[in-house]
PDB file of all heavy atoms in Angstrom:
ATOM      1  N   THR A   1     106.529 178.548 -25.360  1.00 88.00           N
ATOM      2  CA  THR A   1     105.484 177.773 -26.046  1.00 88.00           C
ATOM      3  C   THR A   1     106.024 176.860 -27.119  1.00 88.00           C
ATOM      4  O   THR A   1     105.334 175.994 -27.614  1.00 88.00           O
ATOM      5  CB  THR A   1     104.472 178.758 -26.701  1.00 88.00           C
ATOM      6  OG1 THR A   1     105.130 179.500 -27.702  1.00 88.00           O
ATOM      7  CG2 THR A   1     103.893 179.714 -25.653  1.00 88.00           C
ATOM      8  N   VAL A   2     107.326 177.044 -27.479  1.00 84.00           N
ATOM      9  CA  VAL A   2     107.908 176.247 -28.580  1.00 84.00           C
ATOM     10  C   VAL A   2     107.882 174.748 -28.257  1.00 84.00           C
ATOM     11  O   VAL A   2     107.550 173.925 -29.161  1.00 84.00           O
ATOM     12  CB  VAL A   2     109.298 176.754 -28.904  1.00 84.00           C
ATOM     13  CG1 VAL A   2     110.039 175.785 -29.860  1.00 84.00           C
ATOM     14  CG2 VAL A   2     109.228 178.120 -29.545  1.00 84.00           C
ATOM     15  N   PRO A   3     108.287 174.309 -27.090  1.00 86.00           N
ATOM     16  CA  PRO A   3     108.275 172.883 -26.841  1.00 86.00           C
ATOM     17  C   PRO A   3     106.894 172.223 -27.036  1.00 86.00           C
ATOM     18  O   PRO A   3     106.842 171.079 -27.502  1.00 86.00           O
ATOM     19  CB  PRO A   3     108.685 172.760 -25.336  1.00 86.00           C
ATOM     20  CG  PRO A   3     109.512 173.990 -25.103  1.00 86.00           C
ATOM     21  CD  PRO A   3     108.848 175.047 -25.915  1.00 86.00           C
ATOM     22  N   ALA A   4     105.825 172.937 -26.756  1.00 86.00           N
ATOM     23  CA  ALA A   4     104.487 172.399 -26.987  1.00 86.00           C
ATOM     24  C   ALA A   4     104.235 172.183 -28.468  1.00 86.00           C
ATOM     25  O   ALA A   4     103.687 171.153 -28.863  1.00 86.00           O
ATOM     26  CB  ALA A   4     103.454 173.304 -26.383  1.00 86.00           C
ATOM     27  N   PHE A   5     104.669 173.157 -29.313  1.00 79.00           N
ATOM     28  CA  PHE A   5     104.490 172.977 -30.766  1.00 79.00           C
ATOM     29  C   PHE A   5     105.343 171.779 -31.242  1.00 79.00           C
ATOM     30  O   PHE A   5     104.903 171.008 -32.079  1.00 79.00           O
ATOM     31  CB  PHE A   5     104.923 174.271 -31.465  1.00 79.00           C
ATOM     32  CG  PHE A   5     103.900 175.330 -31.456  1.00 79.00           C
ATOM     33  CD1 PHE A   5     104.058 176.409 -30.582  1.00 79.00           C
ATOM     34  CD2 PHE A   5     102.763 175.324 -32.291  1.00 79.00           C
ATOM     35  CE1 PHE A   5     103.130 177.436 -30.536  1.00 79.00           C
ATOM     36  CE2 PHE A   5     101.838 176.271 -32.224  1.00 79.00           C
ATOM     37  CZ  PHE A   5     101.984 177.361 -31.347  1.00 79.00           C
ATOM     38  N   ALA A   6     106.550 171.669 -30.725  1.00 79.00           N
ATOM     39  CA  ALA A   6     107.429 170.560 -31.098  1.00 79.00           C
ATOM     40  C   ALA A   6     106.834 169.201 -30.739  1.00 79.00           C
ATOM     41  O   ALA A   6     106.874 168.279 -31.482  1.00 79.00           O
ATOM     42  CB  ALA A   6     108.811 170.752 -30.488  1.00 79.00           C
ATOM     43  N   HIS A   7     106.284 169.170 -29.495  1.00 80.00           N
ATOM     44  CA  HIS A   7     105.660 167.920 -29.049  1.00 80.00           C
ATOM     45  C   HIS A   7     104.459 167.576 -29.926  1.00 80.00           C
ATOM     46  O   HIS A   7     104.271 166.411 -30.268  1.00 80.00           O
ATOM     47  CB  HIS A   7     105.238 168.057 -27.616  1.00 80.00           C
ATOM     48  CG  HIS A   7     104.544 166.841 -27.069  1.00 80.00           C
ATOM     49  ND1 HIS A   7     105.223 165.697 -26.714  1.00 80.00           N
ATOM     50  CD2 HIS A   7     103.248 166.585 -26.763  1.00 80.00           C
ATOM     51  CE1 HIS A   7     104.364 164.769 -26.316  1.00 80.00           C
ATOM     52  NE2 HIS A   7     103.146 165.301 -26.304  1.00 80.00           N
ATOM     53  N   TYR A   8     103.696 168.603 -30.320  1.00 80.00           N
ATOM     54  CA  TYR A   8     102.523 168.349 -31.181  1.00 80.00           C
ATOM     55  C   TYR A   8     102.979 167.809 -32.529  1.00 80.00           C
ATOM     56  O   TYR A   8     102.259 166.949 -33.143  1.00 80.00           O
ATOM     57  CB  TYR A   8     101.776 169.672 -31.354  1.00 80.00           C
ATOM     58  CG  TYR A   8     100.571 169.567 -32.268  1.00 80.00           C
ATOM     59  CD1 TYR A   8      99.371 168.981 -31.817  1.00 80.00           C
ATOM     60  CD2 TYR A   8     100.643 170.037 -33.575  1.00 80.00           C
ATOM     61  CE1 TYR A   8      98.269 168.879 -32.660  1.00 80.00           C
ATOM     62  CE2 TYR A   8      99.524 169.938 -34.408  1.00 80.00           C
ATOM     63  CZ  TYR A   8      98.350 169.361 -33.969  1.00 80.00           C
ATOM     64  OH  TYR A   8      97.270 169.267 -34.808  1.00 80.00           O
ATOM     65  N   ALA A   9     104.149 168.237 -32.996  1.00 74.00           N
ATOM     66  CA  ALA A   9     104.668 167.763 -34.267  1.00 74.00           C
ATOM     67  C   ALA A   9     105.371 166.438 -34.169  1.00 74.00           C
ATOM     68  O   ALA A   9     105.903 165.923 -35.155  1.00 74.00           O
ATOM     69  CB  ALA A   9     105.645 168.837 -34.875  1.00 74.00           C
ATOM     70  N   GLY A  10     105.417 165.885 -32.928  1.00 77.00           N
ATOM     71  CA  GLY A  10     106.028 164.568 -32.761  1.00 77.00           C
ATOM     72  C   GLY A  10     107.556 164.654 -32.547  1.00 77.00           C
ATOM     73  O   GLY A  10     108.223 163.673 -32.811  1.00 77.00           O
ATOM     74  N   GLY A  11     108.057 165.730 -32.115  1.00 76.00           N
ATOM     75  CA  GLY A  11     109.505 165.849 -31.897  1.00 76.00           C
ATOM     76  C   GLY A  11     109.806 166.641 -30.630  1.00 76.00           C
ATOM     77  O   GLY A  11     108.907 166.957 -29.835  1.00 76.00           O
ATOM     78  N   ALA A  12     111.084 166.979 -30.471  1.00 79.00           N
ATOM     79  CA  ALA A  12     111.482 167.796 -29.328  1.00 79.00           C
ATOM     80  C   ALA A  12     112.652 168.684 -29.713  1.00 79.00           C
ATOM     81  O   ALA A  12     113.399 168.378 -30.623  1.00 79.00           O
ATOM     82  CB  ALA A  12     111.919 166.869 -28.169  1.00 79.00           C
ATOM     83  N   ILE A  13     112.709 169.830 -29.039  1.00 83.00           N
ATOM     84  CA  ILE A  13     113.813 170.756 -29.281  1.00 83.00           C
ATOM     85  C   ILE A  13     114.609 170.901 -28.033  1.00 83.00           C
ATOM     86  O   ILE A  13     114.067 171.214 -26.970  1.00 83.00           O
ATOM     87  CB  ILE A  13     113.236 172.147 -29.733  1.00 83.00           C
ATOM     88  CG1 ILE A  13     112.535 172.001 -31.080  1.00 83.00           C
ATOM     89  CG2 ILE A  13     114.364 173.161 -29.838  1.00 83.00           C
ATOM     90  CD1 ILE A  13     111.916 173.274 -31.579  1.00 83.00           C
ATOM     91  N   PRO A  14     115.953 170.663 -28.086  1.00 85.00           N
ATOM     92  CA  PRO A  14     116.756 170.732 -26.871  1.00 85.00           C
ATOM     93  C   PRO A  14     116.742 172.076 -26.232  1.00 85.00           C
ATOM     94  O   PRO A  14     116.564 173.127 -26.867  1.00 85.00           O
ATOM     95  CB  PRO A  14     118.171 170.389 -27.419  1.00 85.00           C
ATOM     96  CG  PRO A  14     117.918 169.721 -28.727  1.00 85.00           C
ATOM     97  CD  PRO A  14     116.706 170.299 -29.302  1.00 85.00           C
ATOM     98  N   VAL A  15     116.996 172.079 -24.916  1.00 87.00           N
ATOM     99  CA  VAL A  15     117.041 173.365 -24.158  1.00 87.00           C
ATOM    100  C   VAL A  15     118.137 174.269 -24.711  1.00 87.00           C
ATOM    101  O   VAL A  15     117.951 175.490 -24.758  1.00 87.00           O
ATOM    102  CB  VAL A  15     117.313 173.052 -22.644  1.00 87.00           C
ATOM    103  CG1 VAL A  15     117.544 174.321 -21.872  1.00 87.00           C
ATOM    104  CG2 VAL A  15     116.119 172.291 -22.064  1.00 87.00           C
ATOM    105  N   VAL A  16     119.246 173.697 -25.120  1.00 88.00           N
ATOM    106  CA  VAL A  16     120.355 174.478 -25.643  1.00 88.00           C
ATOM    107  C   VAL A  16     119.880 175.277 -26.865  1.00 88.00           C
ATOM    108  O   VAL A  16     120.201 176.480 -27.020  1.00 88.00           O
ATOM    109  CB  VAL A  16     121.546 173.580 -26.032  1.00 88.00           C
ATOM    110  CG1 VAL A  16     122.616 174.402 -26.748  1.00 88.00           C
ATOM    111  CG2 VAL A  16     122.127 172.928 -24.817  1.00 88.00           C
ATOM    112  N   VAL A  17     119.151 174.634 -27.745  1.00 85.00           N
ATOM    113  CA  VAL A  17     118.665 175.343 -28.959  1.00 85.00           C
ATOM    114  C   VAL A  17     117.627 176.360 -28.622  1.00 85.00           C
ATOM    115  O   VAL A  17     117.622 177.478 -29.181  1.00 85.00           O
ATOM    116  CB  VAL A  17     118.127 174.299 -29.969  1.00 85.00           C
ATOM    117  CG1 VAL A  17     117.510 174.999 -31.190  1.00 85.00           C
ATOM    118  CG2 VAL A  17     119.196 173.306 -30.361  1.00 85.00           C
ATOM    119  N   LEU A  18     116.719 176.042 -27.676  1.00 88.00           N
ATOM    120  CA  LEU A  18     115.726 177.018 -27.255  1.00 88.00           C
ATOM    121  C   LEU A  18     116.401 178.258 -26.657  1.00 88.00           C
ATOM    122  O   LEU A  18     115.983 179.400 -26.896  1.00 88.00           O
ATOM    123  CB  LEU A  18     114.807 176.389 -26.221  1.00 88.00           C
ATOM    124  CG  LEU A  18     113.753 175.395 -26.701  1.00 88.00           C
ATOM    125  CD1 LEU A  18     113.037 174.757 -25.547  1.00 88.00           C
ATOM    126  CD2 LEU A  18     112.753 176.096 -27.592  1.00 88.00           C
ATOM    127  N   SER A  19     117.463 178.023 -25.881  1.00 90.00           N
ATOM    128  CA  SER A  19     118.198 179.145 -25.280  1.00 90.00           C
ATOM    129  C   SER A  19     118.812 180.005 -26.369  1.00 90.00           C
ATOM    130  O   SER A  19     118.805 181.257 -26.283  1.00 90.00           O
ATOM    131  CB  SER A  19     119.291 178.621 -24.337  1.00 90.00           C
ATOM    132  OG  SER A  19     118.762 177.828 -23.311  1.00 90.00           O
ATOM    133  N   ALA A  20     119.372 179.364 -27.384  1.00 87.00           N
ATOM    134  CA  ALA A  20     119.969 180.129 -28.503  1.00 87.00           C
ATOM    135  C   ALA A  20     118.917 180.932 -29.196  1.00 87.00           C
ATOM    136  O   ALA A  20     119.143 182.140 -29.592  1.00 87.00           O
ATOM    137  CB  ALA A  20     120.646 179.172 -29.482  1.00 87.00           C
ATOM    138  N   LEU A  21     117.723 180.348 -29.376  1.00 86.00           N
ATOM    139  CA  LEU A  21     116.602 181.097 -29.998  1.00 86.00           C
ATOM    140  C   LEU A  21     116.231 182.341 -29.192  1.00 86.00           C
ATOM    141  O   LEU A  21     116.100 183.434 -29.746  1.00 86.00           O
ATOM    142  CB  LEU A  21     115.388 180.185 -30.148  1.00 86.00           C
ATOM    143  CG  LEU A  21     114.086 180.851 -30.624  1.00 86.00           C
ATOM    144  CD1 LEU A  21     114.285 181.422 -32.027  1.00 86.00           C
ATOM    145  CD2 LEU A  21     112.939 179.905 -30.568  1.00 86.00           C
ATOM    146  N   LEU A  22     116.158 182.202 -27.890  1.00 90.00           N
ATOM    147  CA  LEU A  22     115.837 183.316 -27.001  1.00 90.00           C
ATOM    148  C   LEU A  22     116.843 184.434 -27.166  1.00 90.00           C
ATOM    149  O   LEU A  22     116.445 185.585 -27.290  1.00 90.00           O
ATOM    150  CB  LEU A  22     115.729 182.838 -25.569  1.00 90.00           C
ATOM    151  CG  LEU A  22     115.491 183.976 -24.543  1.00 90.00           C
ATOM    152  CD1 LEU A  22     114.142 184.612 -24.773  1.00 90.00           C
ATOM    153  CD2 LEU A  22     115.583 183.402 -23.113  1.00 90.00           C
ATOM    154  N   ILE A  23     118.122 184.136 -27.097  1.00 91.00           N
ATOM    155  CA  ILE A  23     119.129 185.181 -27.171  1.00 91.00           C
ATOM    156  C   ILE A  23     119.133 185.896 -28.532  1.00 91.00           C
ATOM    157  O   ILE A  23     119.399 187.111 -28.595  1.00 91.00           O
ATOM    158  CB  ILE A  23     120.542 184.553 -26.882  1.00 91.00           C
ATOM    159  CG1 ILE A  23     120.536 183.951 -25.502  1.00 91.00           C
ATOM    160  CG2 ILE A  23     121.616 185.620 -27.000  1.00 91.00           C
ATOM    161  CD1 ILE A  23     120.107 184.883 -24.366  1.00 91.00           C
ATOM    162  N   THR A  24     118.811 185.166 -29.593  1.00 86.00           N
ATOM    163  CA  THR A  24     118.753 185.879 -30.888  1.00 86.00           C
ATOM    164  C   THR A  24     117.460 186.695 -31.049  1.00 86.00           C
ATOM    165  O   THR A  24     117.425 187.626 -31.802  1.00 86.00           O
ATOM    166  CB  THR A  24     118.813 184.847 -32.058  1.00 86.00           C
ATOM    167  OG1 THR A  24     117.829 183.867 -31.902  1.00 86.00           O
ATOM    168  CG2 THR A  24     120.169 184.219 -32.111  1.00 86.00           C
ATOM    169  N   LEU A  25     116.436 186.332 -30.314  1.00 85.00           N
ATOM    170  CA  LEU A  25     115.158 187.055 -30.366  1.00 85.00           C
ATOM    171  C   LEU A  25     115.200 188.354 -29.542  1.00 85.00           C
ATOM    172  O   LEU A  25     114.738 189.400 -30.017  1.00 85.00           O
ATOM    173  CB  LEU A  25     114.012 186.217 -29.879  1.00 85.00           C
ATOM    174  CG  LEU A  25     113.490 185.080 -30.825  1.00 85.00           C
ATOM    175  CD1 LEU A  25     112.467 184.236 -30.099  1.00 85.00           C
ATOM    176  CD2 LEU A  25     112.902 185.680 -32.077  1.00 85.00           C
ATOM    177  N   ILE A  26     115.745 188.311 -28.354  1.00 90.00           N
ATOM    178  CA  ILE A  26     115.726 189.495 -27.492  1.00 90.00           C
ATOM    179  C   ILE A  26     116.731 190.546 -28.024  1.00 90.00           C
ATOM    180  O   ILE A  26     117.758 190.168 -28.589  1.00 90.00           O
ATOM    181  CB  ILE A  26     115.998 189.128 -26.015  1.00 90.00           C
ATOM    182  CG1 ILE A  26     117.361 188.555 -25.822  1.00 90.00           C
ATOM    183  CG2 ILE A  26     114.929 188.212 -25.489  1.00 90.00           C
ATOM    184  CD1 ILE A  26     117.728 188.249 -24.389  1.00 90.00           C
ATOM    185  N   PRO A  27     116.445 191.833 -27.782  1.00 91.00           N
ATOM    186  CA  PRO A  27     117.296 192.874 -28.346  1.00 91.00           C
ATOM    187  C   PRO A  27     118.590 193.145 -27.580  1.00 91.00           C
ATOM    188  O   PRO A  27     118.741 194.123 -26.867  1.00 91.00           O
ATOM    189  CB  PRO A  27     116.363 194.129 -28.290  1.00 91.00           C
ATOM    190  CG  PRO A  27     115.464 193.843 -27.125  1.00 91.00           C
ATOM    191  CD  PRO A  27     115.270 192.361 -27.064  1.00 91.00           C
ATOM    192  N   THR A  28     119.514 192.173 -27.673  1.00 92.00           N
ATOM    193  CA  THR A  28     120.787 192.277 -26.927  1.00 92.00           C
ATOM    194  C   THR A  28     121.666 193.434 -27.406  1.00 92.00           C
ATOM    195  O   THR A  28     122.393 194.061 -26.623  1.00 92.00           O
ATOM    196  CB  THR A  28     121.540 190.994 -27.028  1.00 92.00           C
ATOM    197  OG1 THR A  28     121.730 190.626 -28.388  1.00 92.00           O
ATOM    198  CG2 THR A  28     120.861 189.848 -26.290  1.00 92.00           C
ATOM    199  N   THR A  29     121.602 193.705 -28.724  1.00 92.00           N
ATOM    200  CA  THR A  29     122.549 194.740 -29.232  1.00 92.00           C
ATOM    201  C   THR A  29     122.309 196.117 -28.675  1.00 92.00           C
ATOM    202  O   THR A  29     123.227 196.729 -28.065  1.00 92.00           O
ATOM    203  CB  THR A  29     122.412 194.820 -30.801  1.00 92.00           C
ATOM    204  OG1 THR A  29     122.592 193.477 -31.327  1.00 92.00           O
ATOM    205  CG2 THR A  29     123.465 195.735 -31.357  1.00 92.00           C
ATOM    206  N   ILE A  30     121.097 196.621 -28.734  1.00 92.00           N
ATOM    207  CA  ILE A  30     120.834 197.963 -28.190  1.00 92.00           C
ATOM    208  C   ILE A  30     120.880 197.968 -26.698  1.00 92.00           C
ATOM    209  O   ILE A  30     121.276 198.953 -26.085  1.00 92.00           O
ATOM    210  CB  ILE A  30     119.464 198.513 -28.730  1.00 92.00           C
ATOM    211  CG1 ILE A  30     119.320 199.994 -28.309  1.00 92.00           C
ATOM    212  CG2 ILE A  30     118.334 197.645 -28.293  1.00 92.00           C
ATOM    213  CD1 ILE A  30     120.380 200.936 -28.793  1.00 92.00           C
TER     214      ILE A  30
END
């Protein structure tokens, strides 16, 4: 849903950055 928020704010977030966000959000450590 992040790209939609970014588009609403008049900008865009690269796929690379979105991917980084996903990996930091999901519980990779445990």
Side-chain angles (χ1 to χ4, degrees):
T1 64
V2 169
F5 282 103
H7 179 73
Y8 178 77
I13 295 179
V15 172
V16 172
V17 176
L18 285 173
S19 300
L21 172 63
L22 175 63
I23 299 306
T24 54
L25 284 173
I26 63 177
T28 53
T29 305
I30 187 59

